[in-house]
Amino acid sequence: MLKIKCPYCGYRNESEFSCGGEAHIARPAVSNKITDSAFCEYLFMRENPKGVFLERWCHTSGCRRWFNIARDTVSHEIYEIYLMGNTPKTVKGKKAYQANWRRTSKAEAASKTPKRTKK
Amino acid sequence: MRHMQSHRLETNNGTSINRKKPVHFKFDRKEFTGFEGETLASALLAHGVHLVGRSFKYHRPRGIFGIGSEEPNALVRVIKGASAEPNLKATQIEIYDGLIAESQNRFPNLKFDILSINNLFSHFFPAGFYYKTFMWPSSFWMLYEKFIRRAAGLGKISKKHLEQNRYEHKYFHCELLIIGGGAAGLQAASIAAQTGVRVIIADEQHELGGWLLTDNNFNIDEKPALNWVRDTVEKLKSAPNVTCLNRTTVFANMDDNFTIMAERVTEHLSRPFAHLPKQRLWKIRATKIILATGAIERPLVFSGNDLPGIMLSSAIRSYIKRYDVLPGTRAIIFTNNDDAYFTALAIYEAGGFVRCIVDLRENPKSQIITTIRKLGINVKTGHAVIAAHGSRHISSVDIAAYDSEAQAPLSSISHMDCNLLAMSGGLNPVVHLHSQRKGKLIWDERTLCYRPDNRSDEWISVGSANGTFQLKKALNEATKKTTITISKLLKENKKSKIQKNNSVPNSEEKQQNWAPTPAWLIQSAQPHISNKTAFVDFQNDSTALDIKLAVREGFHSIEHVKRYTTTGMATDQGKTSNVNAIGILAGSLKKSIAQTGITTFRPPYTPTSLGVIAGRNIGNLFDPLRKTRIHSWHQSNGAKFEHVGQWARAWYYPQEGESFHQAVTREVYATRNYAGVLDASTLGKIEVKGPDSAEFLDRVYTNEFSNLAIGKAKYGLMLKEDGMVFDDGVTTRLAEDHFFMTTTTGGAAGVLGWLEELLQTEWRDLKVYLTSVTEQWSVASLSGPNSRAILEACLGKDNNIMHDFPFMTMKNSFINGIPARIFRISFTGEMAFEINVPARYGLALWSHLMQIGEEFKLTAYGTEAMHVLRAEKGFIIVGQETDGSVTPYDLGMNWIVSKKKSDFIGKRALERGSMDEPQRKQLVGLLTTDPQKVIPEGAHAVLNPNQEAPMEMLGHVSSSYYSPNLKHSIALALLKGGSNRKGQTVYIPMLDGQEPIEAKIVEPIFFDKKGDRLRG
Ligand SMILES: [Zn+2]
């Protein structure tokens, strides 16, 4: 069981957290039209790397806050924990962020949200 | 009649027993006497009892083989009161007055076992037998399974076990966890104790000391070794920063030094204290771990090596030294190393006759060998025991000169009789806890063992666990590594520095040579015959022949061979078998052992009772039960309850003599014709507050909420990003920036979590705050033609709100002095009011309603009647009509999907081309031809019931009831292209030969289609 440092509460057992899967999946705004296949990449495709993985975690049985973790899926070593809205700062985290195919995906390009939804 | 302790020595030297305290116990219904401090195994051996079980596959007679948790054979069942625990190792059970133990895996008794006939047909059970025989035809598995379970059953648990025994859990933190209380562990702990760090030292046995309890004929620090042990233990026990645990097995070492151990608290007592549990599970987070887990001796693999009377050499020495038990009087020693010579010496000193030491090495030299030779004990070097003979106990052996490299005898065989054989094949460090952490293992060519690579500084192996077998070196290593580890710890904690030079205790044990000669398999001149009974894994009955067969059949990876032959997969996890199996495999593949590799060890290190893993989380404590504030009324009015998530909800209220069907019919009828009231307190309730609340709701619901007037309510549908229905409920605007959201009972936590996730991750710019208030409100849902009159009467002088109270609005008022939020919303299709009051007034409100409602024929109804009422109206239930693959369009709810909004969760997914597929399953109603016939929920519909199987399925029935108001069976179903099939006939084929049910597809609404009753 991992020992995870919640940015708000400090070190806690893994059993207090839930893993929300891949981080940094930008949601395309509906008004920025993209093809079905580009949208489905956003909706369904998830990375499953051997090595450094950027994940979202939530301190479900604690403060209920979401944050990001850069974790090695082989050794389970946690390289970095950083807040929502930020990108990784460590060398390994940065590399994993840049290497992800999403950075050049159509869905991510279409993610700039228009301010309000009502027309 | 009590049996004689025929094998107990007269000398009173045993380090672990108390001769003043005899202990009486029963094994297989016979009475025995042992002494306090000893195990069931040693007490049985004291009576000359070796045979304690039958083997798993061939039902061969098996005897006590080891001394501790490595024991593969002596598994017994212990009975205490009404509880019985199987598969306990006789070598670990401490005897107590009144202990009752039984052998297992035999039928009808140990000496005569019917299934031992398997032994005669052993060629039917080669490696892969289970795979080959039972893979095909698969239908035969049903037939075989019963036989296998009967034949192979590993013990039986009693049904009352959990009622009789209490287990508990404990969480603990420490800076240094030392696993193993032998010489190295004690030395590590005594250094750590002085530094003030929090230390736990845990040992599997009932006393600390490890092998020093057996081998102690020398001084440590100028005092007898045993005194050093006792002084050290005393020092540790009195240190305030040290927790000393015996009878405690660390069975799992996991990420970030999270370790789990099982402490046997009262199992060894004949009258356990009532306040203490049977076992205690410790969950420990340690900053650093020192693994001082010691080593386990390997057996040698030769024909007949599983006969009772053949034991590990070190185990025999322990029985003599610790328990004053000499397991046999005419002993032969078979070894490839020096250690067994100490056993020979122990047997000799105990008055036993060492007939011969058979040493595989050509020309071994060391201090101990010289000592032995001086005693005149016959030593045959370059020889091997080729086979052991005997029926239920060893009676003789075949000895020959042997070429270990060629694995073949060099001379003709000579016979020698004996009643005990001590075998020693070298030592395996106990690397399990290291390996569980993915720690790598290194093959050491000199000491012939796998030892830890020591890459991590989180967990550090010392002593025999690290392949450092010599006591002097082990103590030195423990001292150094502990000193380094603690300075790291103190540095991390920014505490004062530790003294760098801890003195190493000076031990003066006899020197021996720790380099055994490789000997993985001893074969006769006809290896295909001798290998058949040369056992590698005693518990799973796998032999050298099985491994060779696996290789011939193409299994070359150790991971595959392990699974194919089941070697190392028994409950002892291959503690004594793994390395021998690797050696034999390497030999067959003509590879080195390092090239062959080793399998990974996984938790638990030893079998762990499910009871201790469950702890107190059983029965009523398994899962919390949530009750509404009105629960007691439901109970005293005879309600039957159903579980919805963790909630107990009133299901129906049978009156005397009423069946389920009659009660539900009465409740439904009363609600449609007079009035009914439902406890709806379990509905999820979320307060949505903040300046961006309206915008937020617009983004999460398919319909629009920003245009909702204050005091008005709206039904909303929530999708997930894939466009599928996720939850529904009514949301009311309380103020410009304040909404009150309701969710389904089961979905409440999931909805709150999902909305929080969106706010924290996707739309961090929105100023919205969510609070769960499910348990802050009690809710009575009042429904039916008389509901208005009842509410008016309840409101009394506050009933002016009733003058203008349209459908889908909310009013604040008081009922009998209780502040209430009243919503005019309906899930039954009748005029209805949901009355919310602060939770603690729930019962008061309910009682008042029932009292006022009496003259209006108000009836309490349960969830079943609610289901029928809503199904009559065709209202969906999320989770019943939906299953995560249903869109609002599939439900015919196009009206709720806003065309105006530019975005909401699920909008883009609904625009996918595949959503227009006409053959998607769509919600329809079904009316059966026979109005009395109710279709089972979940049943599948077909167009043609006479087609060949597998039939072409049209879809499934999601809800189905008998409607008392229509006097007709009704159902909702999701059928392919359903919306264009109105009027068609479908058939629902039934199981067990019943006629298919015929039904007509109709609109999914059966009652009051215009909704006149609802608006009143
Ligand atoms: Zn937290």
Side-chain angles (χ1 to χ4, degrees):
Chain A
M1 176 158 26
L2 296 176
K3 191 167 72 173
I4 297 173
K5 190 177 186 180
C6 169
Y8 307 95
C9 309
Y11 283 109
R12 293 291 189 277
N13 276 344
E14 182 185 343
S15 53
E16 289 188 14
F17 297 86
S18 43
C19 178
E22 188 178 345
H24 308 297
I25 304 176
R27 179 176 185 269
V30 175
S31 47
N32 299 337
K33 301 284 178 203
I34 54 172
T35 60
D36 275 7
S37 69
F39 176 72
C40 286
E41 273 185 356
Y42 152 75
L43 190 57
F44 297 121
M45 300 309 284
R46 295 295 179 270
E47 281 299 278
N48 184 20
K50 183 179 180 181
V52 187
F53 192 32
L54 308 179
E55 298 168 319
R56 292 194 323 192
W57 284 72
C58 180
H59 192 188
T60 348
S61 302
C63 63
R64 301 181 60 87
R65 304 298 292 169
W66 285 86
F67 55 90
N68 296 304
I69 291 185
R71 182 179 69 96
D72 193 305
T73 58
V74 179
S75 67
H76 292 185
E77 192 181 338
I78 291 173
Y79 297 118
E80 186 177 357
I81 290 179
Y82 53 103
L83 300 184
M84 273 298 147
N86 294 351
T87 51
K89 294 204 171 49
T90 55
V91 175
K92 282 185 168 145
K94 270 185 192 160
K95 202 175 151 199
Y97 181 81
Q98 287 307 336
N100 194 303
W101 57 272
R102 284 187 204 284
R103 301 295 88 80
T104 53
S105 71
K106 293 205 174 72
E108 185 160 312
S111 69
K112 317 287 178 275
T113 323
K115 192 68 192 125
R116 295 280 126 149
T117 60
K118 226 170 81 177
K119 272 187 181 161
Chain B
M1 188 199 94
R2 292 204 181 271
H3 293 245
M4 287 280 295
Q5 298 194 36
S6 51
H7 289 61
R8 186 81 68 182
L9 301 173
E10 282 180 15
T11 52
N12 185 0
N13 296 328
T15 53
S16 296
I17 54 168
N18 181 359
R19 292 266 195 150
K20 290 192 190 94
K21 292 224 172 133
V23 171
H24 306 294
F25 67 96
K26 279 185 187 171
F27 178 70
D28 277 352
R29 294 166 187 232
K30 291 194 192 101
E31 295 186 355
F32 295 92
T33 306
F35 293 110
E36 188 184 78
E38 73 177 332
T39 63
L40 179 60
S42 84
L44 288 173
L45 288 171
H47 294 81
V49 176
H50 280 258
L51 174 65
V52 286
R54 289 272 171 177
S55 73
F56 182 65
K57 209 152 71 177
Y58 306 131
H59 284 245
R60 287 170 69 94
R62 289 284 162 81
I64 295 160
F65 168 90
I67 187 84
S69 63
E70 80 283 3
E71 174 64 44
N73 294 338
L75 299 184
V76 302
R77 185 172 189 245
V78 170
I79 297 150
K80 215 171 199 174
S83 91
E85 197 171 0
N87 300 329
L88 298 174
K89 294 179 168 82
T91 50
Q92 289 188 298
I93 299 166
E94 290 169 59
I95 55 167
Y96 50 81
D97 261 325
L99 168 76
I100 301 173
E102 287 183 342
S103 56
Q104 301 181 157
N105 218 16
R106 40 65 173 166
F107 179 78
N109 64 46
L110 259 186
K111 289 194 177 157
F112 177 77
D113 180 295
I114 288 175
L115 286 167
S116 63
I117 201 158
N118 285 358
N119 198 7
L120 303 176
F121 296 101
S122 67
H123 57 279
F124 283 159
F125 292 88
F129 166 74
Y130 288 81
Y131 286 100
K132 286 170 188 163
T133 314
F134 303 126
M135 286 296 276
W136 190 91
S138 58
S139 59
F140 271 39
W141 169 250
M142 303 285 198
L143 212 92
Y144 292 131
E145 192 193 4
K146 277 192 193 113
F147 167 75
I148 290 174
R149 296 233 185 271
R150 174 98 186 86
L154 267 175
K156 283 196 185 81
I157 192 165
S158 81
K159 289 198 173 119
K160 295 205 167 161
H161 184 79
L162 285 177
E163 288 167 34
Q164 299 275 325
N165 295 294
R166 190 157 58 81
Y167 296 89
E168 65 182 34
H169 287 185
K170 177 169 180 149
Y171 292 82
F172 212 72
H173 292 263
C174 69
E175 283 153 300
L176 188 64
L177 170 62
I178 297 161
I179 306 172
L186 286 175
Q187 173 62 10
S190 83
I191 291 172
Q194 304 159 14
T195 64
V197 299
R198 278 187 299 166
V199 182
I200 299 178
I201 176 166
D203 193 278
E204 196 173 34
Q205 298 195 46
H206 74 280
E207 55 187 332
L208 300 180
W211 280 99
L212 288 177
L213 299 169
T214 299
D215 297 325
N216 46 37
N217 197 12
F218 48 85
N219 281 356
I220 300 181
D221 266 355
E222 280 77 51
K223 56 189 165 194
L226 215 51
N227 289 5
W228 181 83
V229 170
R230 278 166 194 160
D231 291 352
T232 309
V233 171
E234 211 160 288
K235 202 169 70 188
L236 293 176
K237 283 192 170 156
S238 62
N241 56 326
V242 180
T243 307
C244 265
L245 294 168
N246 45 8
R247 301 189 179 92
T248 304
T249 306
V250 179
F251 64 81
N253 177 14
M254 310 203 282
D255 288 313
D256 291 327
N257 282 357
F258 185 77
T259 50
I260 313 181
M261 52 199 203
E263 181 189 6
R264 300 178 294 281
V265 186
T266 57
E267 275 176 6
H268 59 290
L269 303 173
S270 52
R271 279 188 208 86
F273 304 108
H275 69 287
L276 288 174
K278 180 176 159 73
Q279 288 186 23
R280 183 180 288 136
L281 193 80
W282 292 66
K283 301 185 183 184
I284 297 175
R285 185 74 76 173
T287 316
K288 305 278 180 194
I289 297 175
I290 288 184
L291 295 169
T293 45
I296 292 172
E297 194 163 35
R298 283 193 293 262
L300 289 161
V301 182
F302 56 93
S303 173
N305 64 342
D306 66 326
L307 273 170
I310 302 182
M311 301 172 69
L312 289 177
S313 150
S314 56
I316 292 172
R317 195 160 78 240
S318 269
Y319 285 115
I320 297 169
K321 298 279 196 158
R322 292 182 64 182
Y323 307 114
D324 286 339
V325 172
L326 182 60
T329 46
R330 296 166 67 77
I332 288 174
I333 316 284
F334 182 21
T335 185
N336 65 352
N337 65 79
D338 275 7
D339 192 63
Y341 286 77
F342 288 91
T343 303
L345 186 62
I347 295 171
Y348 175 87
E349 285 170 353
F353 175 33
V354 180
R355 294 219 55 195
C356 180
I357 296 178
V358 183
D359 194 328
L360 281 154
R361 295 173 294 179
E362 282 301 325
N363 193 17
K365 282 196 181 78
S366 73
Q367 201 182 347
I368 177 70
I369 297 176
T370 314
T371 311
I372 288 288
R373 284 193 195 269
K374 274 187 194 151
L375 293 173
I377 293 172
N378 180 11
V379 179
K380 280 179 185 287
T381 57
H383 275 64
V385 170
I386 304 294
H389 304 290
S391 62
R392 282 195 296 265
H393 195 90
I394 186 169
S395 57
S396 70
V397 294
D398 297 344
I399 296 173
Y402 194 74
D403 181 341
S404 296
E405 216 156 295
Q407 295 191 337
L410 295 169
S411 68
S412 59
I413 279 165
S414 62
H415 300 281
M416 199 177 275
D417 71 296
C418 65
N419 57 19
L420 182 68
L421 191 144
M423 56 179 167
S424 178
L427 291 175
N428 285 338
V430 176
V431 293
H432 299 64
L433 296 174
H434 167 79
S435 178
Q436 284 179 13
R437 289 288 290 279
K438 292 189 195 161
K440 292 270 177 302
L441 297 170
I442 296 165
W443 178 252
D444 188 316
E445 279 294 345
R446 195 181 67 84
T447 50
L448 290 189
C449 68
Y450 272 107
R451 59 176 173 77
D453 70 344
N454 286 317
R455 285 273 186 80
S456 170
D457 66 351
E458 299 273 290
W459 71 92
I460 301 108
S461 299
V462 298
S464 322
N466 193 34
T468 310
F469 299 127
Q470 206 143 59
L471 181 63
K472 201 184 274 297
K473 287 184 181 162
L475 287 171
N476 187 28
E477 183 175 80
T479 309
K480 280 197 180 136
K481 288 196 174 183
T482 309
T483 308
I484 294 169
T485 303
I486 290 179
S487 15
K488 278 185 192 162
L489 257 178
L490 294 177
K491 211 170 167 188
E492 284 166 24
N493 293 352
K494 298 187 180 71
K495 282 188 189 161
S496 61
K497 273 195 177 167
I498 183 184
Q499 59 183 87
K500 275 274 148 57
N501 302 313
N502 282 295
S503 60
V504 181
N506 175 34
S507 66
E508 300 152 10
E509 82 275 19
K510 272 204 178 70
Q511 292 307 306
Q512 55 175 309
N513 172 9
W514 284 105
T517 193
W520 308 113
L521 176 59
I522 315 299
Q523 303 184 122
S524 75
Q526 286 101 20
H528 59 285
I529 295 170
S530 71
N531 287 347
K532 211 186 273 185
T533 50
F535 285 86
V536 180
D537 184 322
F538 293 79
Q539 202 174 97
N540 265 354
D541 265 355
S542 62
T543 63
L545 192 74
D546 289 331
I547 294 173
K548 299 213 158 198
L549 179 68
V551 172
R552 279 208 305 281
E553 294 186 2
F555 295 89
H556 290 184
S557 149
I558 181 65
E559 293 285 359
H560 293 156
V561 171
K562 166 184 162 176
R563 282 158 184 83
Y564 196 57
T565 62
T566 72
T567 303
M569 289 174 70
T571 65
D572 62 349
Q573 284 224 359
K575 287 185 179 62
T576 53
S577 64
N578 263 349
V579 175
N580 281 339
I582 295 164
I584 295 169
L585 177 64
S588 304
L589 295 173
K590 310 256 183 297
K591 280 185 183 173
S592 74
I593 288 188
Q595 285 168 328
T596 309
I598 187 167
T599 55
T600 308
F601 295 101
R602 293 190 178 81
Y605 169 65
T606 51
T608 306
S609 128
L610 287 174
V612 77
I613 290 170
R616 302 295 297 274
N617 305 321
I618 55 168
N620 289 338
L621 300 176
F622 178 68
D623 198 32
L625 182 71
R626 298 169 81 184
K627 296 175 184 171
T628 73
R629 304 293 186 112
I630 309 165
H631 191 84
S632 60
W633 189 94
H634 305 321
Q635 249 175 341
S636 51
N637 284 274
K640 301 281 180 209
F641 292 90
E642 75 166 331
H643 290 274
V644 182
Q646 290 170 330
W647 285 106
R649 295 197 71 180
W651 186 18
Y652 63 103
Y653 303 82
Q655 291 178 351
E656 201 158 330
E658 262 185 349
S659 67
F660 167 76
H661 182 72
Q662 286 166 336
V664 173
T665 299
R666 174 178 51 75
E667 291 170 18
V668 169
Y669 187 82
T671 306
R672 285 262 184 258
N673 291 288
Y674 312 108
V677 62
L678 171 83
D679 181 358
S681 307
T682 62
L683 277 188
K685 303 175 223 29
I686 300 168
E687 296 260 352
V688 183
K689 217 167 174 177
D692 294 324
S693 297
E695 168 69 17
F696 177 62
L697 293 179
D698 274 354
R699 293 189 192 181
V700 297
Y701 278 123
T702 59
N703 46 345
E704 208 171 324
F705 278 77
S706 51
N707 59 1
L708 190 65
I710 294 169
K712 290 248 161 86
K714 201 178 225 182
Y715 172 77
L717 200 59
M718 242 180 238
L719 311 182
K720 275 281 175 102
E721 193 68 305
D722 59 1
M724 304 302 157
V725 173
F726 169 54
D727 205 75
D728 67 349
V730 170
T731 292
T732 308
R733 191 167 206 164
L734 302 176
E736 188 59 33
D737 63 346
H738 189 184
F739 290 81
F740 179 75
M741 175 189 283
T742 63
T743 74
T744 57
T745 295
V751 170
L752 183 71
W754 168 236
L755 298 183
E756 269 293 344
E757 182 178 341
L758 288 171
L759 283 173
Q760 288 183 38
T761 65
E762 207 57 63
W763 301 318
R764 288 176 304 107
D765 56 319
L766 290 188
K767 285 200 173 63
V768 180
Y769 304 92
L770 305 173
T771 310
S772 164
V773 292
T774 302
E775 281 164 349
Q776 275 61 42
W777 296 94
S778 286
V779 183
S781 180
L782 185 63
S783 220
N786 291 350
S787 60
R788 191 183 181 102
I790 296 171
L791 183 58
E792 257 179 27
C794 284
L795 286 163
K797 63 177 170 51
D798 294 313
N799 72 4
N800 54 330
I801 59 160
M802 298 305 287
H803 303 321
D804 176 29
F805 200 165
F807 184 53
M808 296 308 271
T809 60
M810 189 276 290
K811 302 276 183 196
N812 286 301
S813 190
F814 291 87
I815 293 180
N816 203 21
I818 305 168
R821 277 182 190 167
I822 307 168
F823 299 80
R824 190 175 158 198
I825 53 181
S826 175
F827 194 45
T828 58
E830 296 298 320
M831 173 175 286
F833 301 90
E834 278 192 4
I835 306 165
N836 288 236
V837 296
R840 63 186 179 281
Y841 297 122
L843 189 57
L845 168 78
W846 187 272
S847 309
H848 187 65
L849 278 174
M850 296 312 292
Q851 192 194 331
I852 300 287
E854 200 172 351
E855 65 172 294
F856 300 96
K857 298 198 178 177
L858 179 63
T859 300
Y861 68 95
T863 50
E864 187 65 21
M866 175 198 75
H867 276 256
V868 178
L869 289 160
R870 66 91 200 174
E872 287 179 342
K873 288 290 293 179
F875 294 152
I876 61 145
I877 285 189
V878 170
Q880 187 150 349
E881 270 64 55
T882 69
D883 58 4
S885 72
V886 179
T887 69
Y889 303 145
D890 299 336
L891 296 170
M893 294 171 79
N894 306 39
W895 54 270
I896 207 171
V897 183
S898 165
K899 302 280 181 294
K900 269 168 49 190
K901 291 194 291 183
S902 62
D903 201 353
F904 58 82
I905 295 287
K907 181 175 169 67
R908 177 61 185 87
L910 287 178
E911 290 170 1
R912 284 176 293 169
S914 54
M915 293 294 109
D916 296 335
E917 162 62 39
Q919 287 303 301
R920 286 189 64 80
K921 287 185 182 177
Q922 288 145 350
L923 188 73
V924 299
L926 292 180
L927 279 176
T928 51
T929 309
D930 174 354
Q932 298 301 317
K933 199 128 201 164
V934 180
I935 310 169
E937 283 177 0
H940 280 253
V942 299
L943 282 174
N944 170 14
N946 300 318
Q947 58 184 305
E948 291 264 320
M951 295 191 183
E952 195 185 330
M953 304 291 186
L954 204 57
H956 70 278
V957 175
S958 55
S959 294
S960 178
Y961 310 94
Y962 181 76
S963 159
N965 295 299
L966 295 156
K967 305 217 173 354
H968 204 293
S969 152
I970 56 169
L972 297 172
L974 285 148
L975 302 184
K976 282 181 191 163
S979 47
N980 290 324
R981 291 187 188 275
K982 306 280 152 65
Q984 289 185 13
T985 301
V986 290
Y987 298 87
I988 292 90
M990 302 297 290
L991 291 171
D992 51 43
Q994 291 177 52
E995 279 294 297
I997 301 174
E998 190 181 282
K1000 204 171 83 183
I1001 302 178
V1002 296
E1003 287 288 334
I1005 178 165
F1006 304 96
F1007 186 79
D1008 185 29
K1009 293 183 187 174
K1010 283 189 189 152
D1012 296 335
R1013 302 170 72 99
L1014 183 76
R1015 287 165 203 280

